[in-house]
Amino acid sequence: MRVWFSIGWAMVLSVWLGAPAYACTVPADWLVMKGKEEQVVQAAIVLDRDKIVVGEPFSVDLAVCAVKAAFDRVTIDATMPRHRHGMNYKPRMTDLGGGRYRVTPFVFHMPGLWRVVVTTYGKGQPIHLQRDFQVK
Amino acid sequence: MIVSRGFLATVALVATMACAQLGWAGNGLDRLSLTVDEVEKIVAHGPWPPAHKRDPSNRVSGNKAAIELGRRIFFDKRFSGDGQMSCATCHEPRLGWADGVARRVTHAGKLDRNSMSLLDVRFNRWFGWDGQADNLWAQSIRPIIAPDEMNATVGQVVGLLRNDAAYARAYAKVFGGPPGQQQREAILVNVGKALAAFQETLVSRRTIFDDFRDALSRKDWQAAARYPADARRGAQLFVGRGRCSVCHFGPRFTSGEFHDAGVPYFIAPGKVDPGRHKGISIVKQSPWNLAGRFNDDPTKAGAWATRQVEQLHRNFGEFRIPTLRGLVATAPYMHDGSLPTLQRVVRHYSEINIERLHADGERILVPLKLTAEEIADMVAFLKTLSPPRP
């Protein structure tokens, strides 16, 4: 009886400690976001840089998956690091479920280097993942 | 094997023709002293003119009768409080649809800002130096009823449309019913829409820069070589070290957005011009913005910009980046008309004091430290963005 009780508690603990906020996988053909903690949280976006027109709105699809740490909030934004400014328009995120989001409108209002940053917020420090795009 | 001279000459000729067909960069570009990257950036400033699309928010956009009605209203001084001003007072055709003065003096005193040219206004997303309107018909209404500009009342505007028989007939033809049967606000908005339809016809003509740009685009180096050498050097500065094309981007030579160009925003002692910061407040609250009921587009597709634009601290003192087309006719320059010539504008950017820039640490502008020859080249280039006088 004592053995079964211990096994039961072990199963509960393993589920509680191992379960991520989103049990999902980042699509293999999406653009993976990079950062120091890319093994803790994975994020990837669909952004066709050939279809980006400076000054025109476009949508970004985002997938975020917890690998080693759960999170309860996600944000995405873009800046021009050399110019030290961000976008002029605040995009809206629509939660599609399963760690997937549709974000619109993104507007890159200048040509040059744009840095897209995905940030997840959980119990610890926010985790930032990024990817750079050269826009002509 | 002995190869004849004639055979070698034939091979050389065929190879040269093949290279010419392929537009081999090293051939023509060497003569033009342009790099492949410079050609790409110059080509991005065209083609001109862009394709014309009707404005879906204005159901009479492109309508000939509306254009004519708008044209008559545009030049009619009876649409002002004292009967002394029309839209054409500040937007005169022979002055590039601007007015040739730094800041217009009206019955209320000196206005705060320079009159912008109306050329190519149909391509804007935002209107006015501060972007306080997100469509052309709302922007057209504003100065008519502004107390310091034309100072007409809504009643006066509506009365003209209702009581002047010619206007009443023209209005009914355009809007499907006499003004006497419509609400005052609807009539006012329709006046704006007729004015917008007229202003949409004001598109700047092609220039020698456009010929140069098109020649580069099709790799016709011989045709491109006809562009004046000083203007070409100026174009290289514009897209290269000057980084002007970062803000003055694309065929219209403007991104249409807003920046601090280092021009002081103090209007008078104790009075500042908040620029874009206040413009965002105004457009979001306007009953005539694209999110509102007067937008004729049922999808309100254009409303995303007003809904999603963020009012940021850095917007204070930012002003809309104007087009550089047609500049020769629209002196003086900048939002306050403080720079009288193109030479002064280029010198401004050459000597800009970045400590005076206030846009929250944004770093786009740097003093270019141009030589006198480079300034002359840049001015020569800017002048080629204006069509030759007819």
Side-chain angles (χ1 to χ4, degrees):
Chain A
M1 178 67 175
R2 211 180 275 176
V3 170
W4 286 115
F5 185 78
S6 297
I7 290 173
W9 267 113
M11 287 175 67
V12 168
L13 278 172
S14 68
V15 170
W16 179 62
L17 287 172
Y22 298 101
C24 65
T25 51
V26 163
D29 57 341
W30 288 26
L31 299 170
V32 176
M33 308 292 283
K34 299 290 184 184
K36 283 185 228 170
E37 287 162 305
E38 61 188 64
Q39 304 303 322
V40 178
V41 168
Q42 279 189 341
I45 59 175
V46 172
L47 191 164
D48 187 346
R49 88 192 77 186
D50 292 333
K51 289 190 180 160
I52 296 174
V53 176
V54 170
E56 294 301 321
F58 61 95
S59 296
V60 172
D61 283 344
L62 169 67
V64 191
C65 297
V67 179
K68 292 181 184 168
F71 55 87
D72 48 34
R73 193 164 68 94
V74 177
T75 62
I76 181 169
D77 205 343
T79 65
M80 293 194 87
R82 288 178 191 153
H83 296 174
R84 288 154 61 175
H85 68 78
M87 295 191 291
N88 290 338
Y89 304 89
K90 187 175 177 64
R92 276 189 295 204
M93 287 181 69
T94 303
D95 189 340
L96 302 176
R100 302 283 184 102
Y101 303 86
R102 173 81 28 86
V103 190
T104 191
F106 259 64
V107 182
F108 291 165
H109 61 273
M110 286 184 165
L113 180 72
W114 282 89
R115 176 162 296 161
V116 177
V117 179
V118 173
T119 304
T120 60
Y121 300 85
K123 281 189 178 171
Q125 293 288 325
I127 292 173
H128 306 286
L129 301 171
Q130 66 187 43
R131 188 140 184 144
D132 289 353
F133 297 90
Q134 194 68 33
V135 177
K136 289 189 178 179
Chain B
M1 174 186 170
I2 296 172
V3 177
S4 72
R5 281 185 206 165
F7 175 75
L8 288 173
T10 303
V11 168
L13 177 63
V14 169
T16 303
M17 288 170 65
C19 288
Q21 285 295 318
L22 291 169
W24 183 43
N27 195 1
L29 283 183
D30 283 350
R31 281 204 289 270
L32 290 172
S33 302
L34 286 170
T35 66
V36 173
D37 182 60
E38 285 171 337
V39 168
E40 267 185 24
K41 286 178 176 172
I42 292 171
V43 168
H45 287 292
W48 191 262
H52 285 201
K53 296 178 201 171
R54 283 190 55 253
D55 175 5
S57 76
N58 179 0
R59 66 189 184 281
V60 301
S61 169
N63 177 303
K64 283 186 182 166
I67 291 168
E68 174 55 23
L69 174 59
R71 188 193 66 77
R72 289 173 52 194
I73 294 172
F74 190 90
F75 289 97
D76 193 335
K77 291 184 179 177
R78 292 179 295 165
F79 286 92
S80 60
D82 59 7
Q84 298 300 311
M85 286 184 77
S86 68
C87 306
T89 303
C90 295
H91 299 288
E92 195 169 341
R94 65 182 180 86
L95 295 175
W97 299 91
D99 63 5
V101 299
R103 289 155 55 189
R104 166 71 48 185
V105 176
T106 69
H107 61 277
K110 192 183 281 191
L111 296 180
D112 292 345
R113 297 174 188 158
N114 177 258
S115 298
M116 297 189 94
S117 170
L118 296 182
L119 275 175
D120 305 327
V121 70
R122 72 175 292 152
F123 301 113
N124 290 355
R125 171 174 294 144
W126 302 108
F127 298 84
W129 282 109
D130 58 4
Q132 63 173 262
D134 62 0
N135 63 79
L136 184 51
W137 41 271
Q139 175 64 14
S140 300
I141 297 168
R142 185 199 61 75
I144 295 176
I145 58 176
D148 59 344
E149 297 189 47
M150 291 168 69
N151 194 33
T153 64
V154 176
Q156 186 180 350
V157 173
V158 169
L160 257 175
L161 272 297
R162 284 177 174 166
N163 301 324
D164 182 298
Y167 270 135
R169 276 195 305 273
Y171 183 99
K173 181 180 175 185
V174 172
F175 294 106
Q181 294 176 2
Q182 295 186 2
Q183 291 191 334
R184 285 157 49 104
E185 189 176 16
I187 295 172
L188 182 69
V189 168
N190 286 340
V191 164
K193 288 181 176 175
L195 282 166
F198 166 64
Q199 291 167 82
E200 286 174 355
T201 66
L202 307 179
V203 178
S204 60
R205 291 181 285 125
R206 283 178 57 86
T207 69
I208 63 168
F209 166 79
D210 295 308
D211 295 336
F212 171 61
R213 176 264 167 207
D214 290 353
L216 290 178
S217 178
R218 59 178 190 268
K219 296 184 175 65
D220 184 349
W221 313 126
Q222 196 170 2
R226 294 187 208 124
Y227 192 58
D230 55 355
R232 178 185 37 77
R233 291 192 300 268
Q236 287 174 285
L237 272 172
F238 190 88
V239 301
R241 183 160 63 92
R243 303 194 309 157
C244 312
S245 53
V246 170
C247 295
H248 292 283
F249 173 79
R252 295 193 303 123
F253 287 89
T254 172
S255 66
E257 294 289 335
F258 304 81
H259 280 289
D260 171 15
V263 176
Y265 51 96
F266 299 100
I267 302 167
K271 187 180 180 189
V272 295
D273 188 337
R276 180 56 172 158
H277 195 270
K278 187 169 181 187
I280 290 175
S281 297
I282 294 172
V283 71
K284 280 184 177 285
Q285 293 165 33
S286 171
W288 304 321
N289 66 29
L290 291 177
R293 63 188 180 97
F294 291 104
N295 180 352
D296 293 325
D297 176 8
T299 70
K300 303 209 189 311
W304 67 267
T306 296
R307 290 188 181 125
Q308 302 307 126
V309 68
E310 278 202 284
Q311 190 180 47
L312 303 167
H313 183 261
R314 67 170 166 86
N315 294 136
F316 199 94
E318 287 185 336
F319 297 93
R320 186 160 61 83
I321 301 162
T323 178
L324 299 181
R325 289 187 176 269
L327 276 187
V328 165
T330 61
Y333 306 105
M334 316 311 273
H335 74 274
D336 60 355
S338 58
L339 299 180
T341 64
L342 289 176
Q343 286 85 356
R344 288 285 302 276
V345 172
V346 176
R347 272 178 44 205
H348 167 80
Y349 287 104
S350 179
E351 299 159 9
I352 198 166
N353 181 355
I354 60 173
E355 296 303 320
R356 295 179 65 185
L357 297 174
H358 58 80
D360 290 359
E362 183 182 279
R363 282 294 174 260
I364 299 172
L365 296 176
V366 293
L368 298 177
K369 298 190 188 337
L370 301 174
T371 64
E373 189 183 66
E374 288 173 329
I375 291 174
D377 288 345
M378 184 74 88
V379 171
F381 163 69
L382 291 173
K383 285 182 176 175
T384 68
L385 304 184
S386 295
R389 292 192 184 273

